Amino acid sequence: MLNVDLKGCSAFVKPELYNEYVKKALDAFDVLINESGAGNDFLGWKHLPSETTDGILNDIEAIRASWQKKGVDLVIAIGIGGSYLGAKCVIEALSHNFAKQLKRKDAAEVVFAGNNLSEEYLAELMDLAQERNVACIVISKSGTTTEPAVAFRIVKQFIESHYGKKEAAERIVAITDAKKGALKTLSTQEGYKTFVVPDNVGGRFSVLTPVGLLPIAVAGFDIRALIEGAKKAERALAVKTPENPAITYAAMRNYLFSELGRKVEILVNYNPKLTYVAEWWKQLYGESEGKDGTGIFPASVNNTADLHSMGQFIQEGSRVMFETVLHVQNAQRSVVIESDPQNLDQLNFLAGKHVEHCNHMAELGTRLAHIDGGVPQIEVSIEVLDAKRLGVMLYFFEFACGVSAYVLGVNPFNQPGVEAYKKNMFALLEKPGYEEQTKAIRAKL
Ligand code: PA5
């Protein structure tokens, strides 16, 4: 299914003390399974894979089919944080690296908006929209998050003026709360098709709801295989044993944090398609654990590129980190290095070898060097990077996150700190109701 290997930690860890953390992780596992911990009203994600019905998948695939029929070739997915990173990470992981340049027409291109407030980004998005056949998925659980709301105003106006209001209602799908919120009200008024973000699923745990599934499906990927993988993980990880990979991962990262003071975890990949898996993972762990003055800071590197930038720091800089390496056992494409009669680059010793073999040796060599440099290594491995294994991996990281945060002693499912910037921004933008805060913040400038 998925394997967690801790051999790269053995030089740093005292086995008896590590066993204490396994016990803590097993206790935290009980809290998560029995739903007896802080934030237990946000545990709907645990059974999403097994509870995803054919009905939901059919509805999602029907949107894909209806947009295909209209010739839609650009879908703008609007959302921020948990309302976009899951879809983005799966689409990037499963896409051809050069899909855009190859101009493959088998599915719509999905681009993202509402995850920044850059005027240039939105203006340039409208340049693209002018040339394409456009639909939009707007995703906001609350319906009031500023970034997606601003982007949606602009995209909605574009679609309405381009296709007319009636057709716009067929080209806009909203994913939001079942009953309340601005986006729900607007969708009812305008007659948009809607999907629900369940009340008991937080944004960063929502990739296996329509929040992730709809953009992934319209991008042409197999959401049934994704769910199948996640279902497999749901079953396997529900077994209470010290060998459960979620227990192992949660126990070790807490050990390294609490006993060795490793306050930074770097998620390492050796395939550019995994770049956004790391971005999704950073939100998942950062928002779930970084509170109450504690938490491991989640960072990431994309190797081998970053070995030529961050590699120096990781090898010899402050010893604040450990690494979790995402290992993909097999490449799905084959490129063999050929012999060259001149051999000016002196690479003929690699003739006949697959590029992925070199990649794996770079990975292994780096891992050993980093252990020598004092950086503990956890390995998380999957067989190949496909929809099913991705489903396994996403569910694994979610489940392990719940266990790990309970070991740490925080509520994994809230994010009170996210409000601070919003209050200041609203005060500075003079939002009605913020008059006092506006005065207070101006006095500080
Ligand atoms: O994890 C979370 O809950 C957050 O990152 C939210 O997903 C993000 O703030 C977007 O919120 P909303 O979907 O309500 O617009």
Side-chain angles (χ1 to χ4, degrees):
M1 186 192 69
L2 167 147
N3 193 42
V4 172
D5 188 327
L6 300 179
K7 278 199 289 293
C9 297
S10 54
F12 304 88
V13 165
K14 293 187 184 122
E16 309 82 63
L17 196 50
Y18 169 66
N19 285 337
E20 293 300 310
Y21 281 83
V22 174
K23 281 192 203 124
K24 287 181 198 212
L26 287 165
D27 290 345
F29 172 94
D30 283 337
V31 172
L32 189 61
I33 291 288
N34 300 331
E35 312 202 345
S36 54
N40 60 3
D41 43 348
F42 277 97
L43 290 172
W45 58 271
K46 273 197 312 174
H47 301 299
L48 281 173
S50 57
E51 288 172 1
T52 301
T53 60
D54 250 358
I56 291 192
L57 298 175
N58 291 341
D59 273 4
I60 288 172
E61 286 163 352
I63 301 283
R64 171 169 66 191
S66 85
W67 284 352
Q68 258 168 356
K69 219 165 144 200
K70 290 180 190 294
V72 167
D73 61 5
L74 183 77
V75 175
I76 303 174
I78 297 178
I80 195 165
S83 292
Y84 105 99
L85 280 165
K88 172 93 175 163
C89 98
V90 174
I91 293 172
E92 295 277 314
L94 298 178
S95 289
H96 191 292
N97 277 300
F98 303 100
K100 276 184 213 122
Q101 292 86 342
L102 285 168
K103 298 195 172 96
R104 294 205 162 148
K105 291 266 185 267
D106 42 355
E109 183 183 350
V110 175
V111 293
F112 292 86
N115 54 28
N116 63 63
L117 281 170
S118 161
E119 189 158 349
E120 285 183 13
Y121 187 92
L122 281 170
E124 290 172 11
L125 178 66
M126 289 305 99
D127 292 344
L128 176 66
Q130 289 289 352
E131 305 201 346
R132 305 285 284 271
N133 189 338
V134 180
C136 166
I137 304 168
V138 55
I139 309 169
S140 179
K141 192 178 176 190
S142 60
T144 51
T145 308
T146 311
E147 292 89 336
V150 166
F152 185 53
R153 267 200 187 204
I154 289 152
V155 173
K156 177 176 179 281
Q157 271 159 18
F158 171 85
I159 293 181
E160 285 178 355
S161 66
H162 222 74
Y163 303 99
K165 225 167 150 52
K166 188 162 170 282
E167 176 65 11
E170 293 186 15
R171 287 173 179 256
I172 296 173
V173 171
I175 308 180
T176 189
D177 190 89
K179 297 190 199 87
K180 55 181 192 302
L183 188 53
K184 177 68 193 164
T185 309
L186 180 76
S187 305
T188 312
Q189 262 172 33
E190 306 281 331
Y192 299 154
K193 166 90 183 150
T194 56
F195 290 91
V196 169
V197 195
D199 272 349
N200 58 358
V201 179
R204 59 190 173 278
F205 289 86
S206 68
V207 57
L208 300 172
T209 71
V211 170
L213 298 177
L214 181 60
I216 294 166
V218 299
F221 298 108
D222 186 351
I223 51 174
R224 289 173 192 268
L226 189 78
I227 292 288
E228 194 191 325
K231 214 188 271 183
K232 203 170 165 194
E234 182 188 332
R235 274 195 305 270
L237 298 177
V239 180
K240 188 180 177 185
T241 142
E243 288 76 41
N244 179 325
I247 302 278
T248 317
Y249 178 56
M252 185 53 84
R253 60 197 298 284
N254 274 286
Y255 179 103
L256 297 171
F257 175 70
S258 300
E259 300 299 328
L260 301 184
R262 299 306 170 107
K263 298 195 185 318
V264 177
E265 177 176 8
I266 306 176
L267 195 73
V268 183
N269 71 69
Y270 284 80
N271 182 338
K273 290 183 180 184
L274 290 168
T275 304
Y276 265 89
V277 169
E279 296 305 314
W280 170 84
W281 171 89
K282 284 195 256 184
Q283 188 204 357
L284 182 64
Y285 280 78
E287 246 180 21
S288 300
E289 293 190 328
K291 54 196 68 158
D292 307 339
T294 188
I296 301 171
F297 184 85
S300 64
V301 291
N302 305 307
N303 287 350
T304 59
D306 287 344
L307 290 172
H308 298 260
S309 57
M310 295 304 289
Q312 170 61 35
F313 191 109
I314 298 169
Q315 189 66 45
E316 295 182 341
S318 332
R319 302 298 72 190
V320 292
M321 77 288 275
F322 62 96
E323 290 185 306
T324 295
V325 182
L326 294 179
H327 175 68
V328 182
Q329 289 157 25
N330 300 302
Q332 295 180 90
R333 299 292 299 272
S334 158
V335 178
V336 173
I337 299 168
E338 299 201 347
S339 179
D340 181 276
Q342 285 203 70
N343 196 27
L344 286 175
D345 54 12
Q346 298 184 354
L347 285 182
N348 272 355
F349 75 102
L350 292 176
K353 296 252 178 349
H354 283 268
V355 174
E356 199 60 12
H357 170 73
C358 304
N359 198 24
H360 282 161
M361 291 309 107
E363 184 181 324
L364 186 57
T366 305
R367 213 177 294 177
L368 294 170
H370 288 182
I371 292 170
D372 289 344
V375 183
Q377 305 284 305
I378 299 174
E379 180 194 86
V380 174
S381 71
I382 53 172
E383 220 179 318
V384 287
L385 187 54
D386 62 10
K388 196 170 155 190
R389 272 52 163 234
L390 210 47
V392 170
M393 188 159 75
L394 296 177
Y395 189 88
F396 159 76
F397 276 126
E398 288 180 352
F399 193 87
C401 182
V403 176
S404 187
Y406 281 142
V407 173
L408 192 66
V410 298
N411 175 353
F413 306 112
N414 64 3
Q415 54 284 328
V418 179
E419 295 310 310
Y421 100 91
K422 290 185 193 167
K423 282 187 195 138
N424 284 350
M425 178 177 69
F426 290 145
L428 290 165
L429 288 170
E430 300 178 28
K431 185 174 176 171
Y434 280 75
E435 291 75 12
E436 287 308 310
Q437 288 96 322
T438 302
K439 261 190 238 151
I441 203 163
R442 286 266 154 80
K444 284 191 197 168
L445 298 176

